[in-house]
Amino acid sequence: MSWLRSCGERTAPALRGTYRILAGQSRFVNSSSHLQHTPLTVLQQEHGIRRIILNNPQQRNALSLPMIQSLQKDILHEADDPNLRVIIISAEGNVFSSGHNLKELTAEYGKDYHMEVFNTCAKLMTLFQTLPVPVIAEVNGLATAAGCQLVASCDIAVASDKSRFATPGVNVGLFCSTPGVALGRAVPRKVALEMLFTGEPISAHDALLHGLVSKVVPEENLKSETNRIALKICQTSHSVVALGKSTFYRQMAKSLTDAYKLTSEVMVENLAMKDGQEGLKSFIQKRKPVWTHS
């Protein structure tokens, strides 16, 4: 049962597992022995770009505990591999993610299980900022509650023009407090609070206007545009991007003075890196840089 369940949508039970396509080889990894043909997430990786697909459209890609765990496992799989440059999160079906599975949040599951759901989800959302590679959300459809939180937590978000975003928990008696953490850090406070207080969805273009997504494109161009951004990142130095991403999030939590102090030190550190010097030399010599990723 997802956030859309309250509107009369029928859902199916969650299934555990991940289908992996790595270096041209395909294999299924499942924590249970049944229904192995329906993995919760699909992992594909080619040329440094990892695409993780939420693969439970029957349940509107609800972020059940098994779905969260499967997504986290795919993200952390060889995350320190220098050949991994970008992670893209997309989804099957017309709903990117409808948020938590509300059936898991009923009283019979108990407080301990509820805490596990929210703590595991929080770890997933905070994981994105600690990864050395950029994470891109590719959104085609509705993203609600924790699904909206997932989009807000990614480094970059590209959405189709048919996408919508909402935090409708208030309408079923469960305020979207945890989605509000990521949402409130991605959009202006008054926009976040209107979304949280009313539960009304905003369009892709309003999401772009307020900073929830990076870019809005026609649905037919969504995948190609997301891949274009990913390929552009792949042309840069892995080590420089990793340093820059880490520094960006560290400085955002500091005062203006402390942020400039930190980033000035990091700029000097960056200059001392092999790829820092290679980039400058290649610019002066009017040639393409040859990155060592160190």
Side-chain angles (χ1 to χ4, degrees):
M1 184 184 298
S2 67
W3 292 110
L4 298 183
R5 184 72 167 85
S6 62
C7 300
E9 299 283 356
R10 186 176 179 182
T11 59
L15 305 173
R16 293 177 180 265
T18 300
Y19 187 75
R20 302 186 185 279
I21 305 175
L22 293 171
Q25 300 295 318
S26 302
R27 65 187 180 93
F28 179 73
V29 180
N30 198 333
S31 57
S32 61
S33 60
H34 68 290
L35 296 173
Q36 295 190 6
H37 60 284
T38 312
L40 283 176
T41 57
V42 175
L43 188 159
Q44 302 168 340
Q45 187 164 324
E46 186 177 15
H47 304 308
I49 300 172
R50 176 175 299 175
R51 179 176 288 270
I52 303 171
I53 305 169
L54 307 182
N55 191 45
N56 193 8
Q58 296 84 1
Q59 279 198 308
R60 285 27 178 200
N61 295 311
L63 293 178
S64 62
L65 182 58
M67 174 69 94
I68 295 169
Q69 291 169 335
S70 185
L71 178 56
Q72 185 176 50
K73 184 176 181 180
D74 283 352
I75 290 170
L76 289 174
H77 176 75
E78 298 180 354
D80 293 327
D81 181 358
N83 293 315
L84 175 63
R85 301 302 317 281
V86 186
I87 295 174
I88 298 171
I89 300 175
S90 60
E92 285 292 337
N94 295 323
V95 176
F96 177 76
S97 176
S98 58
H100 289 296
N101 186 327
L102 294 186
K103 186 177 181 180
E104 290 185 338
L105 304 183
T106 54
E108 59 259 36
Y109 277 76
K111 183 178 179 180
D112 289 344
Y113 187 85
H114 296 161
M115 284 303 303
E116 184 180 3
V117 169
F118 291 115
N119 286 338
T120 304
C121 186
K123 289 178 182 177
L124 172 66
M125 302 299 173
T126 55
L127 171 64
F128 297 130
Q129 294 186 10
T130 67
L131 292 170
V133 300
V135 181
I136 306 174
E138 181 185 284
V139 187
N140 188 31
L142 187 62
T144 65
C148 184
Q149 179 185 3
L150 177 59
V151 176
S153 298
C154 290
D155 302 310
I156 299 170
V158 184
S160 70
D161 51 10
K162 78 171 191 178
S163 298
R164 293 184 300 155
F165 305 85
T167 49
V170 68
N171 295 323
V172 295
L174 183 62
F175 198 85
C176 284
S177 295
T178 46
V181 174
L183 183 66
R185 286 162 170 76
V187 305
R189 182 178 301 181
K190 289 180 173 58
V191 174
L193 288 173
E194 181 179 347
M195 292 178 67
L196 291 164
F197 290 154
T198 68
E200 292 182 345
I202 63 171
S203 68
H205 289 288
D206 282 343
L208 177 63
L209 175 66
H210 298 307
L212 180 57
V213 301
S214 317
K215 186 169 290 188
V216 175
V217 298
E219 181 180 4
E220 61 269 22
N221 297 340
L222 177 61
K223 189 171 183 178
S224 62
E225 179 59 23
T226 307
N227 285 338
R228 185 194 68 79
I229 295 171
L231 287 169
K232 184 66 176 177
I233 293 170
C234 288
Q235 295 172 11
T236 63
S237 164
H238 181 284
S239 55
V240 171
V241 169
L243 177 64
K245 175 178 173 176
S246 172
T247 303
F248 177 83
Y249 286 114
R250 288 169 60 200
Q251 64 87 18
M252 286 294 290
K254 297 182 177 294
S255 68
L256 188 64
T257 300
D258 288 343
Y260 273 119
K261 183 177 185 297
L262 169 66
T263 53
S264 295
E265 293 170 352
V266 172
M267 292 288 282
V268 173
E269 180 184 344
N270 194 160
L271 285 171
M273 295 167 60
K274 288 183 179 179
D275 280 352
Q277 286 302 307
E278 168 61 16
L280 294 176
K281 289 176 182 177
S282 67
F283 178 80
I284 293 169
Q285 296 170 4
K286 298 182 179 180
R287 59 174 176 82
K288 289 185 177 181
V290 180
W291 305 122
T292 62
H293 304 291
S294 63

PDB file of all heavy atoms in Angstrom, residues 71-89:
ATOM      1  N   LEU A  71      17.739  -0.944  -3.143  1.00  0.00           N
ATOM      2  CA  LEU A  71      18.307   0.253  -3.757  1.00  0.00           C
ATOM      3  C   LEU A  71      19.646   0.600  -3.107  1.00  0.00           C
ATOM      4  O   LEU A  71      20.627   0.909  -3.794  1.00  0.00           O
ATOM      5  CB  LEU A  71      17.324   1.413  -3.623  1.00  0.00           C
ATOM      6  CG  LEU A  71      17.764   2.772  -4.163  1.00  0.00           C
ATOM      7  CD1 LEU A  71      18.164   2.687  -5.622  1.00  0.00           C
ATOM      8  CD2 LEU A  71      16.647   3.808  -3.970  1.00  0.00           C
ATOM      9  N   GLN A  72      19.704   0.525  -1.795  1.00  0.00           N
ATOM     10  CA  GLN A  72      20.946   0.826  -1.085  1.00  0.00           C
ATOM     11  C   GLN A  72      22.052  -0.154  -1.467  1.00  0.00           C
ATOM     12  O   GLN A  72      23.210   0.240  -1.673  1.00  0.00           O
ATOM     13  CB  GLN A  72      20.700   0.778   0.423  1.00  0.00           C
ATOM     14  CG  GLN A  72      21.899   1.188   1.265  1.00  0.00           C
ATOM     15  CD  GLN A  72      21.556   1.213   2.744  1.00  0.00           C
ATOM     16  OE1 GLN A  72      20.996   0.257   3.283  1.00  0.00           O
ATOM     17  NE2 GLN A  72      21.866   2.297   3.414  1.00  0.00           N
ATOM     18  N   LYS A  73      21.684  -1.422  -1.601  1.00  0.00           N
ATOM     19  CA  LYS A  73      22.671  -2.435  -1.983  1.00  0.00           C
ATOM     20  C   LYS A  73      23.240  -2.147  -3.362  1.00  0.00           C
ATOM     21  O   LYS A  73      24.451  -2.263  -3.591  1.00  0.00           O
ATOM     22  CB  LYS A  73      22.023  -3.816  -1.937  1.00  0.00           C
ATOM     23  CG  LYS A  73      22.981  -4.961  -2.213  1.00  0.00           C
ATOM     24  CD  LYS A  73      22.278  -6.307  -2.063  1.00  0.00           C
ATOM     25  CE  LYS A  73      23.230  -7.463  -2.310  1.00  0.00           C
ATOM     26  NZ  LYS A  73      22.546  -8.776  -2.158  1.00  0.00           N
ATOM     27  N   ASP A  74      22.383  -1.754  -4.295  1.00  0.00           N
ATOM     28  CA  ASP A  74      22.838  -1.441  -5.653  1.00  0.00           C
ATOM     29  C   ASP A  74      23.731  -0.209  -5.679  1.00  0.00           C
ATOM     30  O   ASP A  74      24.691  -0.136  -6.445  1.00  0.00           O
ATOM     31  CB  ASP A  74      21.641  -1.221  -6.571  1.00  0.00           C
ATOM     32  CG  ASP A  74      20.987  -2.525  -6.989  1.00  0.00           C
ATOM     33  OD1 ASP A  74      21.546  -3.591  -6.696  1.00  0.00           O
ATOM     34  OD2 ASP A  74      19.914  -2.473  -7.606  1.00  0.00           O
ATOM     35  N   ILE A  75      23.412   0.768  -4.862  1.00  0.00           N
ATOM     36  CA  ILE A  75      24.221   1.994  -4.810  1.00  0.00           C
ATOM     37  C   ILE A  75      25.607   1.698  -4.248  1.00  0.00           C
ATOM     38  O   ILE A  75      26.619   2.186  -4.761  1.00  0.00           O
ATOM     39  CB  ILE A  75      23.509   3.065  -3.965  1.00  0.00           C
ATOM     40  CG1 ILE A  75      22.265   3.586  -4.706  1.00  0.00           C
ATOM     41  CG2 ILE A  75      24.451   4.226  -3.639  1.00  0.00           C
ATOM     42  CD1 ILE A  75      21.381   4.456  -3.867  1.00  0.00           C
ATOM     43  N   LEU A  76      25.664   0.869  -3.211  1.00  0.00           N
ATOM     44  CA  LEU A  76      26.930   0.604  -2.533  1.00  0.00           C
ATOM     45  C   LEU A  76      27.774  -0.453  -3.243  1.00  0.00           C
ATOM     46  O   LEU A  76      28.950  -0.605  -2.910  1.00  0.00           O
ATOM     47  CB  LEU A  76      26.663   0.149  -1.093  1.00  0.00           C
ATOM     48  CG  LEU A  76      26.158   1.237  -0.145  1.00  0.00           C
ATOM     49  CD1 LEU A  76      25.789   0.637   1.199  1.00  0.00           C
ATOM     50  CD2 LEU A  76      27.198   2.333   0.020  1.00  0.00           C
ATOM     51  N   HIS A  77      27.209  -1.145  -4.212  1.00  0.00           N
ATOM     52  CA  HIS A  77      27.952  -2.190  -4.919  1.00  0.00           C
ATOM     53  C   HIS A  77      29.183  -1.598  -5.618  1.00  0.00           C
ATOM     54  O   HIS A  77      29.072  -0.811  -6.548  1.00  0.00           O
ATOM     55  CB  HIS A  77      27.048  -2.865  -5.954  1.00  0.00           C
ATOM     56  CG  HIS A  77      27.747  -3.887  -6.786  1.00  0.00           C
ATOM     57  ND1 HIS A  77      28.091  -5.139  -6.303  1.00  0.00           N
ATOM     58  CD2 HIS A  77      28.180  -3.857  -8.075  1.00  0.00           C
ATOM     59  CE1 HIS A  77      28.688  -5.819  -7.254  1.00  0.00           C
ATOM     60  NE2 HIS A  77      28.766  -5.073  -8.340  1.00  0.00           N
ATOM     61  N   GLU A  78      30.356  -1.946  -5.113  1.00  0.00           N
ATOM     62  CA  GLU A  78      31.619  -1.459  -5.678  1.00  0.00           C
ATOM     63  C   GLU A  78      31.591   0.057  -5.891  1.00  0.00           C
ATOM     64  O   GLU A  78      32.041   0.573  -6.919  1.00  0.00           O
ATOM     65  CB  GLU A  78      31.929  -2.196  -6.985  1.00  0.00           C
ATOM     66  CG  GLU A  78      32.115  -3.693  -6.793  1.00  0.00           C
ATOM     67  CD  GLU A  78      32.421  -4.430  -8.089  1.00  0.00           C
ATOM     68  OE1 GLU A  78      32.386  -3.802  -9.164  1.00  0.00           O
ATOM     69  OE2 GLU A  78      32.695  -5.647  -8.026  1.00  0.00           O
ATOM     70  N   ALA A  79      31.071   0.769  -4.893  1.00  0.00           N
ATOM     71  CA  ALA A  79      30.929   2.223  -5.013  1.00  0.00           C
ATOM     72  C   ALA A  79      32.269   2.942  -5.096  1.00  0.00           C
ATOM     73  O   ALA A  79      32.347   4.068  -5.594  1.00  0.00           O
ATOM     74  CB  ALA A  79      30.118   2.767  -3.834  1.00  0.00           C
ATOM     75  N   ASP A  80      33.330   2.299  -4.604  1.00  0.00           N
ATOM     76  CA  ASP A  80      34.663   2.918  -4.638  1.00  0.00           C
ATOM     77  C   ASP A  80      35.451   2.557  -5.899  1.00  0.00           C
ATOM     78  O   ASP A  80      36.613   2.942  -6.040  1.00  0.00           O
ATOM     79  CB  ASP A  80      35.461   2.499  -3.401  1.00  0.00           C
ATOM     80  CG  ASP A  80      34.879   3.069  -2.122  1.00  0.00           C
ATOM     81  OD1 ASP A  80      34.334   4.194  -2.184  1.00  0.00           O
ATOM     82  OD2 ASP A  80      34.944   2.401  -1.074  1.00  0.00           O
ATOM     83  N   ASP A  81      34.837   1.834  -6.794  1.00  0.00           N
ATOM     84  CA  ASP A  81      35.487   1.480  -8.050  1.00  0.00           C
ATOM     85  C   ASP A  81      35.778   2.757  -8.843  1.00  0.00           C
ATOM     86  O   ASP A  81      34.855   3.514  -9.153  1.00  0.00           O
ATOM     87  CB  ASP A  81      34.563   0.556  -8.856  1.00  0.00           C
ATOM     88  CG  ASP A  81      35.180   0.116 -10.182  1.00  0.00           C
ATOM     89  OD1 ASP A  81      36.298   0.551 -10.512  1.00  0.00           O
ATOM     90  OD2 ASP A  81      34.510  -0.646 -10.904  1.00  0.00           O
ATOM     91  N   PRO A  82      37.031   3.038  -9.175  1.00  0.00           N
ATOM     92  CA  PRO A  82      37.346   4.275  -9.910  1.00  0.00           C
ATOM     93  C   PRO A  82      36.707   4.328 -11.293  1.00  0.00           C
ATOM     94  O   PRO A  82      36.598   5.400 -11.884  1.00  0.00           O
ATOM     95  CB  PRO A  82      38.875   4.260 -10.003  1.00  0.00           C
ATOM     96  CG  PRO A  82      39.268   2.832  -9.792  1.00  0.00           C
ATOM     97  CD  PRO A  82      38.240   2.258  -8.870  1.00  0.00           C
ATOM     98  N   ASN A  83      36.275   3.176 -11.808  1.00  0.00           N
ATOM     99  CA  ASN A  83      35.612   3.157 -13.110  1.00  0.00           C
ATOM    100  C   ASN A  83      34.149   3.592 -13.027  1.00  0.00           C
ATOM    101  O   ASN A  83      33.531   3.877 -14.052  1.00  0.00           O
ATOM    102  CB  ASN A  83      35.679   1.751 -13.720  1.00  0.00           C
ATOM    103  CG  ASN A  83      37.097   1.354 -14.074  1.00  0.00           C
ATOM    104  OD1 ASN A  83      37.847   2.142 -14.646  1.00  0.00           O
ATOM    105  ND2 ASN A  83      37.484   0.137 -13.708  1.00  0.00           N
ATOM    106  N   LEU A  84      33.601   3.633 -11.819  1.00  0.00           N
ATOM    107  CA  LEU A  84      32.238   4.125 -11.630  1.00  0.00           C
ATOM    108  C   LEU A  84      32.279   5.646 -11.563  1.00  0.00           C
ATOM    109  O   LEU A  84      32.954   6.222 -10.726  1.00  0.00           O
ATOM    110  CB  LEU A  84      31.643   3.562 -10.346  1.00  0.00           C
ATOM    111  CG  LEU A  84      30.256   4.095  -9.954  1.00  0.00           C
ATOM    112  CD1 LEU A  84      29.214   3.725 -11.006  1.00  0.00           C
ATOM    113  CD2 LEU A  84      29.844   3.556  -8.582  1.00  0.00           C
ATOM    114  N   ARG A  85      31.549   6.315 -12.435  1.00  0.00           N
ATOM    115  CA  ARG A  85      31.618   7.770 -12.515  1.00  0.00           C
ATOM    116  C   ARG A  85      30.312   8.463 -12.180  1.00  0.00           C
ATOM    117  O   ARG A  85      30.293   9.581 -11.691  1.00  0.00           O
ATOM    118  CB  ARG A  85      32.049   8.189 -13.929  1.00  0.00           C
ATOM    119  CG  ARG A  85      33.404   7.638 -14.368  1.00  0.00           C
ATOM    120  CD  ARG A  85      34.520   8.042 -13.425  1.00  0.00           C
ATOM    121  NE  ARG A  85      34.422   9.417 -13.049  1.00  0.00           N
ATOM    122  CZ  ARG A  85      34.816  10.447 -13.814  1.00  0.00           C
ATOM    123  NH1 ARG A  85      35.341  10.226 -15.003  1.00  0.00           N
ATOM    124  NH2 ARG A  85      34.690  11.683 -13.389  1.00  0.00           N
ATOM    125  N   VAL A  86      29.176   7.820 -12.457  1.00  0.00           N
ATOM    126  CA  VAL A  86      27.859   8.433 -12.244  1.00  0.00           C
ATOM    127  C   VAL A  86      26.856   7.335 -11.903  1.00  0.00           C
ATOM    128  O   VAL A  86      26.946   6.218 -12.419  1.00  0.00           O
ATOM    129  CB  VAL A  86      27.358   9.178 -13.506  1.00  0.00           C
ATOM    130  CG1 VAL A  86      26.053   9.926 -13.220  1.00  0.00           C
ATOM    131  CG2 VAL A  86      28.390  10.135 -14.053  1.00  0.00           C
ATOM    132  N   ILE A  87      25.897   7.675 -11.041  1.00  0.00           N
ATOM    133  CA  ILE A  87      24.769   6.785 -10.762  1.00  0.00           C
ATOM    134  C   ILE A  87      23.488   7.488 -11.180  1.00  0.00           C
ATOM    135  O   ILE A  87      23.264   8.646 -10.807  1.00  0.00           O
ATOM    136  CB  ILE A  87      24.703   6.398  -9.280  1.00  0.00           C
ATOM    137  CG1 ILE A  87      25.933   5.575  -8.883  1.00  0.00           C
ATOM    138  CG2 ILE A  87      23.419   5.620  -8.979  1.00  0.00           C
ATOM    139  CD1 ILE A  87      26.027   5.270  -7.400  1.00  0.00           C
ATOM    140  N   ILE A  88      22.662   6.805 -11.960  1.00  0.00           N
ATOM    141  CA  ILE A  88      21.347   7.315 -12.368  1.00  0.00           C
ATOM    142  C   ILE A  88      20.283   6.443 -11.719  1.00  0.00           C
ATOM    143  O   ILE A  88      20.358   5.215 -11.783  1.00  0.00           O
ATOM    144  CB  ILE A  88      21.183   7.284 -13.900  1.00  0.00           C
ATOM    145  CG1 ILE A  88      22.216   8.185 -14.578  1.00  0.00           C
ATOM    146  CG2 ILE A  88      19.766   7.710 -14.299  1.00  0.00           C
ATOM    147  CD1 ILE A  88      22.248   8.031 -16.097  1.00  0.00           C
ATOM    148  N   ILE A  89      19.294   7.069 -11.106  1.00  0.00           N
ATOM    149  CA  ILE A  89      18.159   6.338 -10.541  1.00  0.00           C
ATOM    150  C   ILE A  89      16.919   6.670 -11.359  1.00  0.00           C
ATOM    151  O   ILE A  89      16.518   7.837 -11.446  1.00  0.00           O
ATOM    152  CB  ILE A  89      17.931   6.690  -9.063  1.00  0.00           C
ATOM    153  CG1 ILE A  89      19.183   6.347  -8.236  1.00  0.00           C
ATOM    154  CG2 ILE A  89      16.711   5.950  -8.513  1.00  0.00           C
ATOM    155  CD1 ILE A  89      19.106   6.770  -6.785  1.00  0.00           C
TER     156      ILE A  89
END
